[in-house]
Amino acid sequence: MTSDDPIIESNLIQPCLYETHSHTPLCKHATGMPTEYAAVAFQRGLKGLTITCHNPMPDGFSAHVRMGLDEFDQYVEIIEAAKQQWAGRVDVRMGIEADFFPGYESFLEKQISENAFHYVIGSVHPQVPEYVAKYWLDDPFENQVNYFRRLADAAETGLFDCISHPDLIKNQTAEAWDPQRILPEICRTLDRIAKTGLAMELNTSGVNKRIQEMNPFPAMLSEMLQRGIPVVIGADAHEPGRVGDGYLDAMDLLESVGYQELSFFLDRKRMTVPISVARQSLVAHSQR
């Protein structure tokens, strides 16, 4: 199978999607063990579940929202336990959501290369104290510009498979969020990301945030499509009940701007499935 081959034929209806973005209690702001997330994935007709908790970082970097370096072995163990418990029913995989922050590239490269991750998400979190101390300005528009430039910087490292929740800054600068004003800067960012070949995420949890829409917003998705950037749907589940949440709505949104297929990663290789087939697999399961 190549990265350009659909994983299933369109005349078959079977589970084919993964929850690609989910967490564990080790990050200190999520609840539920991986086996509980897998149970919901099974109930909702998903083929698999990739656990992508926030990566441990050195120097106490935003330690209040991630596992410690000494907890990584436990992370591996609880995922392996879920994998064994759900074998033959839900394909449980180990991934990671890795923070991009200038100065830590060598650490990330070593961490990623030394572990058998199936999927590596690159994230820029503008709300963490280290980011605020380094980049935050009085001008909210300039904060938005800085954020999108950091997304492109992250993509250009070559460390990641996908860039997550790629307009997250709108929730930290909601009072000054003007999509039309920032769109030219976003387009410059997307030009850079498109050259790397990375995917980008449609994060369904955005509907629960200050600006209640998925991340990214529709016009940004449209610009992504024009540049041939693949899309991965993830619910960013911090509790079991959020697994697969909003997937059908996300597919509707993607089709509305012209996307015809979804991507996800196994063994760090991009797999694709037609949106029409992905939708049928979830709807067929819900009708059983």
mmCIF file of all heavy atoms in Angstrom, residues 200-229:
data_model
loop_
_atom_site.group_PDB
_atom_site.id
_atom_site.type_symbol
_atom_site.label_atom_id
_atom_site.label_comp_id
_atom_site.label_asym_id
_atom_site.label_seq_id
_atom_site.Cartn_x
_atom_site.Cartn_y
_atom_site.Cartn_z
ATOM 1 N N MET A 200 -2.344 18.596 7.734
ATOM 2 C CA MET A 200 -2.830 19.495 8.776
ATOM 3 C C MET A 200 -4.131 18.932 9.327
ATOM 4 O O MET A 200 -4.841 18.190 8.659
ATOM 5 C CB MET A 200 -3.016 20.911 8.230
ATOM 6 C CG MET A 200 -1.691 21.553 7.812
ATOM 7 S SD MET A 200 -1.873 23.211 7.123
ATOM 8 C CE MET A 200 -2.230 24.155 8.599
ATOM 9 N N GLU A 201 -4.410 19.294 10.568
ATOM 10 C CA GLU A 201 -5.535 18.711 11.281
ATOM 11 C C GLU A 201 -6.780 19.592 11.202
ATOM 12 O O GLU A 201 -6.692 20.817 11.274
ATOM 13 C CB GLU A 201 -5.142 18.530 12.756
ATOM 14 C CG GLU A 201 -6.216 17.924 13.637
ATOM 15 C CD GLU A 201 -5.808 17.894 15.093
ATOM 16 O OE1 GLU A 201 -5.610 18.981 15.691
ATOM 17 O OE2 GLU A 201 -5.661 16.783 15.641
ATOM 18 N N LEU A 202 -7.937 18.931 11.085
ATOM 19 C CA LEU A 202 -9.216 19.567 11.379
ATOM 20 C C LEU A 202 -9.619 19.059 12.748
ATOM 21 O O LEU A 202 -9.968 17.885 12.918
ATOM 22 C CB LEU A 202 -10.272 19.219 10.334
ATOM 23 C CG LEU A 202 -11.674 19.777 10.612
ATOM 24 C CD1 LEU A 202 -11.652 21.290 10.753
ATOM 25 C CD2 LEU A 202 -12.658 19.358 9.527
ATOM 26 N N ASN A 203 -9.513 19.919 13.737
ATOM 27 C CA ASN A 203 -9.706 19.553 15.140
ATOM 28 C C ASN A 203 -11.129 19.885 15.554
ATOM 29 O O ASN A 203 -11.519 21.054 15.605
ATOM 30 C CB ASN A 203 -8.681 20.314 15.986
ATOM 31 C CG ASN A 203 -8.643 19.872 17.427
ATOM 32 O OD1 ASN A 203 -9.650 19.895 18.117
ATOM 33 N ND2 ASN A 203 -7.457 19.494 17.889
ATOM 34 N N THR A 204 -11.902 18.839 15.843
ATOM 35 C CA THR A 204 -13.329 19.057 16.116
ATOM 36 C C THR A 204 -13.587 19.687 17.478
ATOM 37 O O THR A 204 -14.687 20.173 17.731
ATOM 38 C CB THR A 204 -14.115 17.743 16.012
ATOM 39 O OG1 THR A 204 -13.747 16.860 17.069
ATOM 40 C CG2 THR A 204 -13.878 17.058 14.667
ATOM 41 N N SER A 205 -12.602 19.693 18.367
ATOM 42 C CA SER A 205 -12.829 20.234 19.710
ATOM 43 C C SER A 205 -12.977 21.740 19.707
ATOM 44 O O SER A 205 -13.383 22.329 20.714
ATOM 45 C CB SER A 205 -11.689 19.832 20.654
ATOM 46 O OG SER A 205 -10.505 20.552 20.367
ATOM 47 N N GLY A 206 -12.669 22.380 18.565
ATOM 48 C CA GLY A 206 -12.804 23.828 18.509
ATOM 49 C C GLY A 206 -14.205 24.323 18.799
ATOM 50 O O GLY A 206 -14.389 25.450 19.262
ATOM 51 N N VAL A 207 -15.207 23.479 18.540
ATOM 52 C CA VAL A 207 -16.590 23.907 18.793
ATOM 53 C C VAL A 207 -16.852 24.124 20.278
ATOM 54 O O VAL A 207 -17.862 24.738 20.645
ATOM 55 C CB VAL A 207 -17.605 22.890 18.216
ATOM 56 C CG1 VAL A 207 -17.443 22.765 16.711
ATOM 57 C CG2 VAL A 207 -17.462 21.531 18.894
ATOM 58 N N ASN A 208 -15.964 23.646 21.132
ATOM 59 C CA ASN A 208 -16.118 23.801 22.576
ATOM 60 C C ASN A 208 -15.281 24.944 23.139
ATOM 61 O O ASN A 208 -15.263 25.150 24.349
ATOM 62 C CB ASN A 208 -15.725 22.501 23.282
ATOM 63 C CG ASN A 208 -16.552 21.320 22.824
ATOM 64 O OD1 ASN A 208 -17.775 21.410 22.751
ATOM 65 N ND2 ASN A 208 -15.894 20.222 22.491
ATOM 66 N N LYS A 209 -14.605 25.674 22.281
ATOM 67 C CA LYS A 209 -13.724 26.733 22.741
ATOM 68 C C LYS A 209 -14.398 28.107 22.619
ATOM 69 O O LYS A 209 -15.578 28.208 22.302
ATOM 70 C CB LYS A 209 -12.405 26.678 21.975
ATOM 71 C CG LYS A 209 -11.617 25.391 22.244
ATOM 72 C CD LYS A 209 -10.246 25.446 21.656
ATOM 73 C CE LYS A 209 -9.372 24.238 21.945
ATOM 74 N NZ LYS A 209 -9.847 23.164 22.738
ATOM 75 N N ARG A 210 -13.626 29.141 22.884
ATOM 76 C CA ARG A 210 -14.190 30.497 22.957
ATOM 77 C C ARG A 210 -14.857 30.900 21.643
ATOM 78 O O ARG A 210 -15.970 31.420 21.628
ATOM 79 C CB ARG A 210 -13.076 31.481 23.325
ATOM 80 C CG ARG A 210 -13.573 32.878 23.626
ATOM 81 C CD ARG A 210 -12.454 33.755 24.156
ATOM 82 N NE ARG A 210 -12.908 35.110 24.387
ATOM 83 C CZ ARG A 210 -12.100 36.110 24.714
ATOM 84 N NH1 ARG A 210 -10.804 35.890 24.853
ATOM 85 N NH2 ARG A 210 -12.588 37.324 24.899
ATOM 86 N N ILE A 211 -14.157 30.707 20.539
ATOM 87 C CA ILE A 211 -14.782 30.875 19.220
ATOM 88 C C ILE A 211 -15.248 29.489 18.797
ATOM 89 O O ILE A 211 -14.438 28.612 18.514
ATOM 90 C CB ILE A 211 -13.795 31.479 18.212
ATOM 91 C CG1 ILE A 211 -13.446 32.908 18.634
ATOM 92 C CG2 ILE A 211 -14.395 31.462 16.804
ATOM 93 C CD1 ILE A 211 -12.484 33.622 17.700
ATOM 94 N N GLN A 212 -16.529 29.291 18.766
ATOM 95 C CA GLN A 212 -17.099 27.949 18.681
ATOM 96 C C GLN A 212 -17.189 27.461 17.235
ATOM 97 O O GLN A 212 -18.256 27.421 16.636
ATOM 98 C CB GLN A 212 -18.465 27.920 19.378
ATOM 99 C CG GLN A 212 -18.358 28.222 20.860
ATOM 100 C CD GLN A 212 -19.707 28.308 21.547
ATOM 101 O OE1 GLN A 212 -20.760 28.287 20.917
ATOM 102 N NE2 GLN A 212 -19.684 28.397 22.859
ATOM 103 N N GLU A 213 -16.042 27.086 16.706
ATOM 104 C CA GLU A 213 -15.964 26.482 15.384
ATOM 105 C C GLU A 213 -14.736 25.586 15.363
ATOM 106 O O GLU A 213 -13.809 25.749 16.156
ATOM 107 C CB GLU A 213 -15.871 27.549 14.287
ATOM 108 C CG GLU A 213 -14.647 28.429 14.380
ATOM 109 C CD GLU A 213 -14.589 29.501 13.308
ATOM 110 O OE1 GLU A 213 -15.579 29.680 12.576
ATOM 111 O OE2 GLU A 213 -13.544 30.181 13.208
ATOM 112 N N MET A 214 -14.761 24.618 14.471
ATOM 113 C CA MET A 214 -13.632 23.712 14.385
ATOM 114 C C MET A 214 -12.373 24.468 13.977
ATOM 115 O O MET A 214 -12.440 25.533 13.351
ATOM 116 C CB MET A 214 -13.937 22.583 13.399
ATOM 117 C CG MET A 214 -15.059 21.672 13.867
ATOM 118 S SD MET A 214 -15.334 20.286 12.740
ATOM 119 C CE MET A 214 -16.844 19.608 13.466
ATOM 120 N N ASN A 215 -11.238 23.901 14.342
ATOM 121 C CA ASN A 215 -9.939 24.482 13.984
ATOM 122 C C ASN A 215 -9.332 23.678 12.836
ATOM 123 O O ASN A 215 -9.079 22.493 13.017
ATOM 124 C CB ASN A 215 -8.964 24.429 15.163
ATOM 125 C CG ASN A 215 -9.510 25.039 16.434
ATOM 126 O OD1 ASN A 215 -9.794 24.320 17.381
ATOM 127 N ND2 ASN A 215 -9.653 26.340 16.463
ATOM 128 N N PRO A 216 -9.118 24.281 11.664
ATOM 129 C CA PRO A 216 -9.239 25.697 11.360
ATOM 130 C C PRO A 216 -10.602 26.067 10.781
ATOM 131 O O PRO A 216 -11.406 25.209 10.459
ATOM 132 C CB PRO A 216 -8.144 25.909 10.314
ATOM 133 C CG PRO A 216 -8.163 24.629 9.536
ATOM 134 C CD PRO A 216 -8.433 23.564 10.568
ATOM 135 N N PHE A 217 -10.787 27.370 10.598
ATOM 136 C CA PHE A 217 -12.050 27.898 10.081
ATOM 137 C C PHE A 217 -12.161 27.603 8.577
ATOM 138 O O PHE A 217 -11.166 27.302 7.902
ATOM 139 C CB PHE A 217 -12.162 29.387 10.379
ATOM 140 C CG PHE A 217 -11.124 30.258 9.740
ATOM 141 C CD1 PHE A 217 -11.413 30.987 8.583
ATOM 142 C CD2 PHE A 217 -9.850 30.378 10.291
ATOM 143 C CE1 PHE A 217 -10.467 31.805 7.988
ATOM 144 C CE2 PHE A 217 -8.894 31.202 9.701
ATOM 145 C CZ PHE A 217 -9.193 31.909 8.562
ATOM 146 N N PRO A 218 -13.381 27.661 8.020
ATOM 147 C CA PRO A 218 -13.603 27.203 6.647
ATOM 148 C C PRO A 218 -12.717 27.846 5.587
ATOM 149 O O PRO A 218 -12.229 27.163 4.684
ATOM 150 C CB PRO A 218 -15.081 27.515 6.409
ATOM 151 C CG PRO A 218 -15.698 27.430 7.765
ATOM 152 C CD PRO A 218 -14.673 27.988 8.698
ATOM 153 N N ALA A 219 -12.511 29.150 5.654
ATOM 154 C CA ALA A 219 -11.701 29.801 4.618
ATOM 155 C C ALA A 219 -10.264 29.294 4.637
ATOM 156 O O ALA A 219 -9.616 29.160 3.588
ATOM 157 C CB ALA A 219 -11.728 31.321 4.797
ATOM 158 N N MET A 220 -9.763 28.969 5.820
ATOM 159 C CA MET A 220 -8.406 28.417 5.915
ATOM 160 C C MET A 220 -8.372 27.006 5.336
ATOM 161 O O MET A 220 -7.417 26.636 4.644
ATOM 162 C CB MET A 220 -7.928 28.428 7.361
ATOM 163 C CG MET A 220 -6.487 27.979 7.537
ATOM 164 S SD MET A 220 -5.910 28.277 9.227
ATOM 165 C CE MET A 220 -4.300 27.466 9.170
ATOM 166 N N LEU A 221 -9.403 26.220 5.599
ATOM 167 C CA LEU A 221 -9.488 24.888 4.991
ATOM 168 C C LEU A 221 -9.479 24.981 3.469
ATOM 169 O O LEU A 221 -8.826 24.189 2.786
ATOM 170 C CB LEU A 221 -10.766 24.184 5.449
ATOM 171 C CG LEU A 221 -10.780 23.560 6.827
ATOM 172 C CD1 LEU A 221 -12.190 23.058 7.156
ATOM 173 C CD2 LEU A 221 -9.773 22.427 6.940
ATOM 174 N N SER A 222 -10.214 25.943 2.939
ATOM 175 C CA SER A 222 -10.265 26.120 1.494
ATOM 176 C C SER A 222 -8.882 26.450 0.931
ATOM 177 O O SER A 222 -8.480 25.918 -0.109
ATOM 178 C CB SER A 222 -11.259 27.230 1.139
ATOM 179 O OG SER A 222 -11.337 27.418 -0.253
ATOM 180 N N GLU A 223 -8.144 27.305 1.637
ATOM 181 C CA GLU A 223 -6.791 27.643 1.189
ATOM 182 C C GLU A 223 -5.858 26.440 1.296
ATOM 183 O O GLU A 223 -4.965 26.253 0.457
ATOM 184 C CB GLU A 223 -6.245 28.819 2.014
ATOM 185 C CG GLU A 223 -6.999 30.128 1.833
ATOM 186 C CD GLU A 223 -6.823 30.740 0.451
ATOM 187 O OE1 GLU A 223 -5.908 30.317 -0.284
ATOM 188 O OE2 GLU A 223 -7.596 31.653 0.108
ATOM 189 N N MET A 224 -6.059 25.620 2.300
ATOM 190 C CA MET A 224 -5.275 24.388 2.429
ATOM 191 C C MET A 224 -5.514 23.475 1.231
ATOM 192 O O MET A 224 -4.587 22.914 0.650
ATOM 193 C CB MET A 224 -5.632 23.676 3.738
ATOM 194 C CG MET A 224 -5.099 24.359 4.977
ATOM 195 S SD MET A 224 -5.933 23.869 6.527
ATOM 196 C CE MET A 224 -5.827 22.090 6.452
ATOM 197 N N LEU A 225 -6.788 23.317 0.869
ATOM 198 C CA LEU A 225 -7.135 22.462 -0.269
ATOM 199 C C LEU A 225 -6.479 22.969 -1.551
ATOM 200 O O LEU A 225 -5.943 22.181 -2.340
ATOM 201 C CB LEU A 225 -8.647 22.415 -0.435
ATOM 202 C CG LEU A 225 -9.150 21.657 -1.664
ATOM 203 C CD1 LEU A 225 -8.827 20.174 -1.561
ATOM 204 C CD2 LEU A 225 -10.661 21.862 -1.845
ATOM 205 N N GLN A 226 -6.518 24.276 -1.766
ATOM 206 C CA GLN A 226 -5.927 24.839 -2.978
ATOM 207 C C GLN A 226 -4.437 24.536 -3.089
ATOM 208 O O GLN A 226 -3.886 24.496 -4.196
ATOM 209 C CB GLN A 226 -6.157 26.352 -3.006
ATOM 210 C CG GLN A 226 -7.616 26.752 -3.202
ATOM 211 C CD GLN A 226 -7.810 28.248 -3.211
ATOM 212 O OE1 GLN A 226 -6.966 28.983 -3.745
ATOM 213 N NE2 GLN A 226 -8.899 28.716 -2.630
ATOM 214 N N ARG A 227 -3.796 24.289 -1.963
ATOM 215 C CA ARG A 227 -2.358 24.002 -1.945
ATOM 216 C C ARG A 227 -2.062 22.506 -1.837
ATOM 217 O O ARG A 227 -0.907 22.110 -1.696
ATOM 218 C CB ARG A 227 -1.699 24.764 -0.792
ATOM 219 C CG ARG A 227 -1.668 26.266 -1.025
ATOM 220 C CD ARG A 227 -1.473 27.060 0.248
ATOM 221 N NE ARG A 227 -1.370 28.492 -0.051
ATOM 222 C CZ ARG A 227 -2.410 29.287 -0.300
ATOM 223 N NH1 ARG A 227 -3.642 28.778 -0.296
ATOM 224 N NH2 ARG A 227 -2.226 30.566 -0.552
ATOM 225 N N GLY A 228 -3.118 21.691 -1.881
ATOM 226 C CA GLY A 228 -2.929 20.246 -1.837
ATOM 227 C C GLY A 228 -2.493 19.703 -0.499
ATOM 228 O O GLY A 228 -1.853 18.645 -0.426
ATOM 229 N N ILE A 229 -2.844 20.389 0.580
ATOM 230 C CA ILE A 229 -2.451 19.944 1.917
ATOM 231 C C ILE A 229 -3.440 18.900 2.416
ATOM 232 O O ILE A 229 -4.641 19.175 2.504
ATOM 233 C CB ILE A 229 -2.384 21.132 2.893
ATOM 234 C CG1 ILE A 229 -1.309 22.117 2.440
ATOM 235 C CG2 ILE A 229 -2.106 20.648 4.318
ATOM 236 C CD1 ILE A 229 -1.241 23.394 3.261
#
